[in-house]
Amino acid sequence: MADKAADPGRAGSASLSARAREAVLQRIVDRRYAQGARLVEREVAEELGMSRVPVREALRALVAEGLLELLPHSGVRVRRLERVDVEHLYEVWEPLAVQASRLAARAVAAGGAPAPWRRPSGRPSRQRRRTRGLARWRRTRRSTRRSWRCRAIRCSPARWSS
């Protein structure tokens, strides 16, 4: 008897389920499948253009990862993020962001890496220049609006009659 690992049909099935898993995961991330949405295996298989077996394996893998919830006798549903889940994500993310900032600051201080808003030439990036230009434009617009309001009050017809 042939070994299951050597069976070419089995290897293709694994890659199909991996592709299905990635496709469903991407749809969850893109919010095409909203939080709390029920996923019907048959509909997902039709949408992805593959049979139900790899889709079933992909959905089981995503249930095991905690992205989907298994509904008894109903299929699966996209898991809703609760406040506790978001707080946990921030607890994990915060030390990573602090460490990344420290490493970036050390690299800039050592001269090993330029500041992120500067190009290697030392000139600010186009996005940075646009942001500064936008700030100038907003300040000018605000002051212009103020001056027009003052003129409108000083030069209003109601004041002419007095």
Coordinates of all heavy atoms in Angstrom, one line a residue, residues 37-104:
A37 N -20.7 37.1 11.5 CA -21.3 36.6 10.3 C -21.2 35.1 10.3 O -20.1 34.5 10.7 CB -20.7 37.2 9.1
R38 N -22.3 34.4 10.0 CA -22.3 32.9 9.9 C -21.7 32.6 8.5 O -22.1 33.1 7.5 CB -23.7 32.4 10.0 CG -23.8 31.0 10.1 CD -25.2 30.5 10.5 NE -25.4 29.2 10.3 CZ -26.0 28.6 9.2 NH1 -26.6 29.4 8.3 NH2 -26.1 27.3 9.1
L39 N -20.8 31.6 8.5 CA -20.2 31.1 7.3 C -20.7 29.8 7.0 O -20.6 28.8 7.8 CB -18.6 31.1 7.4 CG -17.9 32.4 7.7 CD1 -16.4 32.1 7.7 CD2 -18.2 33.4 6.6
V40 N -21.4 29.6 5.8 CA -21.9 28.4 5.4 C -20.8 27.7 4.5 O -20.4 28.4 3.5 CB -23.2 28.6 4.6 CG1 -23.8 27.2 4.1 CG2 -24.2 29.3 5.5
E41 N -20.4 26.5 4.8 CA -19.4 25.8 4.1 C -19.6 25.8 2.6 O -18.7 26.0 1.8 CB -19.3 24.4 4.7 CG -18.2 23.6 4.2 CD -18.3 22.2 4.8 OE1 -18.1 22.1 6.1 OE2 -18.4 21.2 4.1
R42 N -20.8 25.4 2.2 CA -21.1 25.3 0.8 C -21.0 26.7 0.1 O -20.4 26.7 -1.0 CB -22.6 24.8 0.6 CG -23.1 24.7 -0.8 CD -24.5 24.2 -0.8 NE -25.4 24.8 0.2 CZ -26.0 26.0 0.1 NH1 -25.7 26.8 -0.9 NH2 -26.8 26.4 1.1
E43 N -21.4 27.8 0.7 CA -21.3 29.1 0.1 C -19.9 29.5 0.0 O -19.5 30.1 -1.1 CB -22.2 30.1 0.9 CG -23.6 29.8 0.8 CD -24.4 30.7 1.7 OE1 -23.8 31.6 2.4 OE2 -25.7 30.6 1.8
V44 N -19.1 29.3 1.0 CA -17.7 29.6 1.0 C -17.0 28.9 -0.1 O -16.2 29.4 -0.9 CB -17.0 29.4 2.3 CG1 -15.5 29.7 2.3 CG2 -17.7 30.3 3.4
A45 N -17.3 27.6 -0.3 CA -16.7 26.7 -1.3 C -17.0 27.2 -2.7 O -16.2 27.3 -3.6 CB -17.1 25.3 -1.1
E46 N -18.3 27.6 -2.9 CA -18.7 28.2 -4.2 C -17.9 29.5 -4.5 O -17.5 29.8 -5.6 CB -20.2 28.4 -4.2 CG -21.0 27.2 -4.3 CD -22.5 27.4 -4.2 OE1 -22.9 28.6 -4.2 OE2 -23.2 26.4 -4.2
E47 N -17.8 30.3 -3.4 CA -17.2 31.6 -3.6 C -15.7 31.5 -3.9 O -15.2 32.2 -4.8 CB -17.3 32.4 -2.3 CG -16.9 33.8 -2.3 CD -17.1 34.5 -1.0 OE1 -18.1 34.2 -0.3 OE2 -16.2 35.3 -0.6
L48 N -15.0 30.5 -3.3 CA -13.6 30.2 -3.6 C -13.4 29.4 -4.8 O -12.3 29.2 -5.3 CB -13.0 29.6 -2.4 CG -13.0 30.4 -1.1 CD1 -12.4 29.6 0.0 CD2 -12.3 31.7 -1.3
G49 N -14.5 28.7 -5.3 CA -14.3 27.9 -6.5 C -13.6 26.6 -6.3 O -12.8 26.1 -7.1
M50 N -13.9 26.0 -5.1 CA -13.3 24.7 -4.8 C -14.3 23.8 -4.1 O -15.4 24.3 -3.8 CB -12.0 24.9 -4.0 CG -12.1 25.7 -2.8 SD -10.5 25.9 -1.8 CE -9.5 26.8 -2.9
S51 N -13.9 22.6 -3.9 CA -14.8 21.6 -3.2 C -14.9 22.0 -1.8 O -14.2 22.7 -1.2 CB -14.4 20.2 -3.4 OG -13.2 20.0 -2.7
R52 N -15.9 21.3 -1.1 CA -16.2 21.6 0.3 C -15.1 21.0 1.2 O -15.0 21.5 2.3 CB -17.6 21.0 0.7 CG -18.7 21.8 0.0 CD -20.0 21.2 0.2 NE -20.4 21.1 1.5 CZ -21.6 20.6 1.9 NH1 -22.5 20.3 1.1 NH2 -21.9 20.6 3.2
V53 N -14.4 19.9 0.8 CA -13.5 19.3 1.7 C -12.3 20.2 2.1 O -12.1 20.4 3.3 CB -12.9 18.0 1.1 CG1 -11.8 17.4 1.9 CG2 -14.1 17.0 0.9
P54 N -11.6 20.9 1.2 CA -10.6 21.8 1.6 C -11.1 23.0 2.4 O -10.5 23.5 3.4 CB -9.9 22.2 0.4 CG -10.7 21.8 -0.8 CD -11.6 20.8 -0.3
V55 N -12.3 23.4 2.1 CA -12.9 24.5 2.8 C -13.2 24.1 4.2 O -13.0 24.8 5.2 CB -14.2 25.1 2.1 CG1 -14.9 26.1 2.9 CG2 -13.8 25.7 0.8
R56 N -13.7 22.9 4.4 CA -14.0 22.3 5.7 C -12.8 22.3 6.6 O -12.8 22.7 7.7 CB -14.7 21.0 5.6 CG -15.1 20.4 6.9 CD -15.8 19.0 6.7 NE -16.8 19.1 5.8 CZ -17.0 18.2 4.7 NH1 -16.1 17.2 4.6 NH2 -18.0 18.3 3.9
E57 N -11.7 21.8 6.0 CA -10.4 21.7 6.7 C -9.9 23.1 7.1 O -9.4 23.3 8.2 CB -9.4 21.0 5.8 CG -9.6 19.5 5.6 CD -8.7 18.9 4.6 OE1 -7.7 19.6 4.2 OE2 -8.9 17.7 4.3
A58 N -10.1 24.1 6.1 CA -9.6 25.5 6.4 C -10.4 26.1 7.6 O -9.9 26.7 8.5 CB -9.8 26.3 5.2
L59 N -11.8 25.8 7.6 CA -12.6 26.4 8.6 C -12.3 25.7 10.0 O -12.2 26.4 11.0 CB -14.1 26.2 8.3 CG -14.6 26.9 7.1 CD1 -16.1 26.6 6.8 CD2 -14.4 28.4 7.2
R60 N -12.0 24.4 10.0 CA -11.5 23.8 11.2 C -10.2 24.4 11.7 O -10.1 24.6 12.9 CB -11.4 22.3 11.0 CG -12.7 21.5 10.9 CD -12.4 20.1 10.8 NE -13.7 19.4 10.6 CZ -13.8 18.2 10.0 NH1 -12.7 17.6 9.5 NH2 -14.9 17.6 9.8
A61 N -9.3 24.7 10.8 CA -8.0 25.3 11.2 C -8.3 26.6 11.8 O -7.6 27.0 12.9 CB -7.1 25.3 10.0
L62 N -9.2 27.4 11.2 CA -9.4 28.8 11.7 C -10.2 28.7 13.1 O -10.0 29.6 13.9 CB -10.2 29.6 10.7 CG -9.3 30.0 9.5 CD1 -10.2 30.6 8.4 CD2 -8.2 30.9 9.8
V63 N -11.0 27.7 13.3 CA -11.7 27.5 14.6 C -10.6 27.2 15.6 O -10.6 27.8 16.7 CB -12.7 26.4 14.5 CG1 -13.1 26.0 15.9 CG2 -13.9 26.8 13.7
A64 N -9.6 26.4 15.3 CA -8.6 26.0 16.2 C -7.7 27.2 16.5 O -7.2 27.4 17.7 CB -7.7 24.9 15.6
E65 N -7.6 28.2 15.6 CA -6.8 29.4 15.8 C -7.6 30.4 16.6 O -7.0 31.4 17.1 CB -6.3 30.0 14.5 CG -5.3 29.1 13.8 CD -4.9 29.7 12.5 OE1 -5.0 30.9 12.3 OE2 -4.4 29.0 11.6
G66 N -8.9 30.3 16.7 CA -9.7 31.2 17.5 C -10.3 32.3 16.7 O -10.9 33.2 17.2
L67 N -10.2 32.3 15.3 CA -10.8 33.3 14.5 C -12.2 33.1 14.2 O -13.0 34.0 13.9 CB -10.0 33.5 13.2 CG -8.6 34.0 13.4 CD1 -7.8 33.9 12.1 CD2 -8.6 35.5 13.8
L68 N -12.6 31.8 14.3 CA -14.0 31.4 14.0 C -14.5 30.7 15.3 O -13.7 30.1 16.0 CB -14.1 30.5 12.8 CG -13.6 31.1 11.5 CD1 -13.7 30.0 10.4 CD2 -14.5 32.3 11.1
E69 N -15.8 30.7 15.4 CA -16.5 30.0 16.5 C -17.3 28.8 15.9 O -18.0 29.1 14.9 CB -17.4 30.9 17.3 CG -16.7 32.0 18.1 CD -17.7 32.9 18.7 OE1 -18.8 33.1 18.2 OE2 -17.4 33.4 19.8
L70 N -17.3 27.7 16.5 CA -18.0 26.6 16.1 C -19.4 26.6 16.7 O -19.6 26.7 17.9 CB -17.4 25.2 16.5 CG -18.0 24.0 15.9 CD1 -17.9 24.0 14.4 CD2 -17.2 22.8 16.4
L71 N -20.4 26.7 15.8 CA -21.8 26.7 16.3 C -22.4 25.3 16.2 O -22.4 24.7 15.1 CB -22.7 27.7 15.5 CG -22.2 29.1 15.4 CD1 -23.0 29.9 14.4 CD2 -22.3 29.7 16.8
P72 N -22.9 24.7 17.3 CA -23.4 23.3 17.2 C -24.5 23.2 16.3 O -25.5 24.0 16.3 CB -23.8 23.1 18.7 CG -23.2 24.1 19.5 CD -22.9 25.3 18.6
H73 N -24.4 22.3 15.3 CA -25.4 22.0 14.3 C -25.7 23.1 13.4 O -26.8 23.2 12.8 CB -26.7 21.5 15.0 CG -26.5 20.4 16.0 ND1 -26.1 19.1 15.6 CD2 -26.6 20.4 17.3 CE1 -26.0 18.4 16.7 NE2 -26.3 19.1 17.8
S74 N -24.9 24.1 13.3 CA -25.1 25.3 12.5 C -24.0 25.7 11.6 O -24.1 26.5 10.7 CB -25.5 26.5 13.3 OG -26.7 26.2 14.1
G75 N -22.8 25.3 11.9 CA -21.6 25.7 11.1 C -20.7 26.5 11.9 O -20.5 26.3 13.1
V76 N -20.1 27.5 11.3 CA -19.2 28.4 12.0 C -19.6 29.9 11.8 O -20.3 30.2 10.9 CB -17.7 28.2 11.5 CG1 -17.2 26.8 11.8 CG2 -17.6 28.5 10.0
R77 N -19.0 30.7 12.7 CA -19.3 32.1 12.7 C -18.0 32.8 13.0 O -17.2 32.4 13.7 CB -20.4 32.4 13.6 CG -20.4 33.7 14.3 CD -21.5 34.0 15.2 NE -21.2 33.6 16.6 CZ -22.1 33.5 17.5 NH1 -23.3 33.8 17.3 NH2 -21.7 33.2 18.7
V78 N -17.8 34.0 12.4 CA -16.7 34.8 12.6 C -16.8 35.4 14.0 O -17.8 35.9 14.5 CB -16.6 36.0 11.6 CG1 -15.4 36.9 11.9 CG2 -16.5 35.5 10.2
R79 N -15.7 35.2 14.8 CA -15.7 35.5 16.2 C -15.7 37.0 16.3 O -15.0 37.8 15.6 CB -14.4 34.9 16.8 CG -14.3 35.1 18.3 CD -13.2 34.3 18.9 NE -13.0 34.6 20.2 CZ -11.9 35.2 20.7 NH1 -10.9 35.4 19.9 NH2 -11.8 35.5 21.9
R80 N -16.4 37.5 17.3 CA -16.5 38.9 17.6 C -15.3 39.3 18.6 O -15.1 38.5 19.5 CB -17.8 39.3 18.3 CG -19.0 39.2 17.4 CD -20.2 39.7 18.2 NE -21.4 39.4 17.4 CZ -21.9 40.3 16.5 NH1 -21.3 41.4 16.3 NH2 -23.0 40.0 15.9
L81 N -14.7 40.4 18.3 CA -13.7 40.8 19.3 C -14.4 41.5 20.4 O -15.1 42.5 20.2 CB -12.7 41.8 18.6 CG -11.6 41.2 17.7 CD1 -10.8 42.3 17.1 CD2 -10.7 40.3 18.5
E82 N -14.1 41.1 21.6 CA -14.6 41.7 22.8 C -13.6 42.7 23.3 O -12.4 42.7 22.9 CB -14.9 40.6 23.9 CG -15.8 39.5 23.4 CD -17.2 40.0 23.2 OE1 -17.7 41.0 23.8 OE2 -17.9 39.5 22.3
R83 N -14.0 43.5 24.3 CA -13.1 44.5 24.9 C -11.9 43.8 25.5 O -10.8 44.3 25.4 CB -13.9 45.3 25.9 CG -13.1 46.4 26.5 CD -13.9 47.2 27.5 NE -13.1 48.2 28.2 CZ -12.9 49.4 27.7 NH1 -13.5 49.8 26.6 NH2 -12.2 50.3 28.3
V84 N -12.1 42.7 26.1 CA -11.0 42.0 26.8 C -10.0 41.5 25.7 O -8.8 41.6 26.0 CB -11.6 40.7 27.6 CG1 -10.4 39.9 28.1 CG2 -12.5 41.2 28.6
D85 N -10.4 41.1 24.6 CA -9.5 40.7 23.5 C -8.7 41.8 23.0 O -7.5 41.7 22.8 CB -10.3 40.1 22.3 CG -11.1 38.9 22.7 OD1 -10.6 38.1 23.6 OD2 -12.2 38.7 22.1
V86 N -9.3 43.0 22.9 CA -8.6 44.2 22.4 C -7.6 44.6 23.4 O -6.5 45.0 23.1 CB -9.6 45.3 22.0 CG1 -8.9 46.6 21.6 CG2 -10.5 44.9 20.9
E87 N -8.0 44.6 24.7 CA -7.1 45.0 25.8 C -5.9 44.0 25.8 O -4.7 44.5 26.0 CB -7.8 45.0 27.1 CG -8.7 46.1 27.3 CD -9.6 46.0 28.6 OE1 -9.5 45.0 29.3 OE2 -10.3 46.9 28.8
H88 N -6.1 42.8 25.6 CA -5.0 41.8 25.5 C -4.1 42.1 24.4 O -2.8 42.0 24.5 CB -5.5 40.4 25.4 CG -4.5 39.3 25.3 ND1 -3.6 39.0 26.3 CD2 -4.1 38.6 24.2 CE1 -2.8 38.1 25.9 NE2 -3.0 37.8 24.6
L89 N -4.6 42.4 23.2 CA -3.8 42.8 22.0 C -2.9 44.0 22.3 O -1.7 44.0 22.0 CB -4.7 43.1 20.8 CG -5.4 41.9 20.2 CD1 -6.4 42.4 19.1 CD2 -4.4 40.9 19.6
Y90 N -3.5 45.0 23.0 CA -2.7 46.2 23.4 C -1.6 45.8 24.4 O -0.5 46.4 24.4 CB -3.6 47.3 23.8 CG -4.1 48.1 22.7 CD1 -5.4 48.0 22.3 CD2 -3.3 49.0 22.0 CE1 -5.9 48.7 21.2 CE2 -3.8 49.7 20.9 CZ -5.1 49.6 20.5 OH -5.5 50.3 19.4
E91 N -1.9 44.9 25.3 CA -0.9 44.5 26.3 C 0.3 43.9 25.6 O 1.4 44.0 26.0 CB -1.5 43.5 27.3 CG -2.4 44.2 28.3 CD -3.2 43.2 29.2 OE1 -2.8 42.0 29.1 OE2 -4.0 43.6 30.0
V92 N 0.0 43.1 24.6 CA 1.1 42.5 23.8 C 1.8 43.5 22.9 O 3.0 43.5 22.8 CB 0.5 41.3 23.0 CG1 1.6 40.8 22.0 CG2 0.0 40.2 23.9
W93 N 1.0 44.4 22.3 CA 1.6 45.3 21.3 C 2.4 46.4 22.0 O 3.5 46.8 21.5 CB 0.4 46.0 20.6 CG 0.9 47.0 19.6 CD1 1.4 46.9 18.4 CD2 0.8 48.4 19.9 NE1 1.7 48.1 17.9 CE2 1.3 49.1 18.8 CE3 0.4 49.2 20.9 CZ2 1.4 50.5 18.7 CZ3 0.4 50.6 20.8 CH2 1.0 51.2 19.7
E94 N 2.0 46.9 23.2 CA 2.7 48.0 23.8 C 4.2 47.8 24.1 O 5.0 48.6 23.6 CB 2.0 48.4 25.1 CG 2.6 49.6 25.8 CD 1.9 49.9 27.1 OE1 1.2 49.0 27.6 OE2 2.0 51.1 27.5
P95 N 4.6 46.7 24.7 CA 6.0 46.5 24.9 C 6.8 46.3 23.6 O 8.0 46.8 23.5 CB 6.1 45.2 25.7 CG 4.8 44.9 26.2 CD 3.8 45.6 25.4
L96 N 6.2 45.7 22.6 CA 6.8 45.6 21.3 C 7.1 47.0 20.7 O 8.1 47.3 20.1 CB 6.0 44.8 20.3 CG 5.9 43.3 20.7 CD1 4.9 42.6 19.8 CD2 7.2 42.6 20.7
A97 N 6.1 47.9 20.8 CA 6.2 49.2 20.2 C 7.3 50.0 21.0 O 8.1 50.7 20.3 CB 4.9 50.0 20.3
V98 N 7.4 49.9 22.3 CA 8.4 50.5 23.1 C 9.8 50.1 22.7 O 10.7 50.9 22.5 CB 8.1 50.3 24.6 CG1 9.3 50.8 25.4 CG2 6.8 51.0 25.0
Q99 N 9.9 48.7 22.6 CA 11.2 48.2 22.2 C 11.6 48.6 20.8 O 12.8 49.0 20.5 CB 11.2 46.7 22.3 CG 12.5 46.0 22.0 CD 13.6 46.4 23.0 OE1 13.3 46.8 24.1 NE2 14.8 46.2 22.6
A100 N 10.7 48.6 19.8 CA 11.0 49.1 18.5 C 11.4 50.5 18.5 O 12.3 50.9 17.8 CB 9.8 48.9 17.6
S101 N 10.8 51.4 19.3 CA 11.1 52.8 19.4 C 12.5 53.0 19.9 O 13.3 53.8 19.4 CB 10.2 53.5 20.3 OG 8.9 53.5 19.8
R102 N 12.9 52.2 21.0 CA 14.2 52.2 21.6 C 15.3 51.9 20.5 O 16.3 52.5 20.4 CB 14.3 51.3 22.7 CG 13.7 51.8 24.0 CD 13.9 50.8 25.1 NE 13.1 51.3 26.3 CZ 12.5 50.5 27.1 NH1 12.6 49.2 27.0 NH2 11.8 50.9 28.1
L103 N 15.0 50.8 19.8 CA 16.0 50.3 18.8 C 16.2 51.3 17.7 O 17.3 51.6 17.2 CB 15.6 48.9 18.2 CG 15.6 47.8 19.2 CD1 15.0 46.5 18.6 CD2 17.1 47.5 19.7
A104 N 15.1 51.9 17.3 CA 15.1 52.9 16.2 C 15.9 54.2 16.7 O 16.7 54.7 16.0 CB 13.7 53.3 15.8

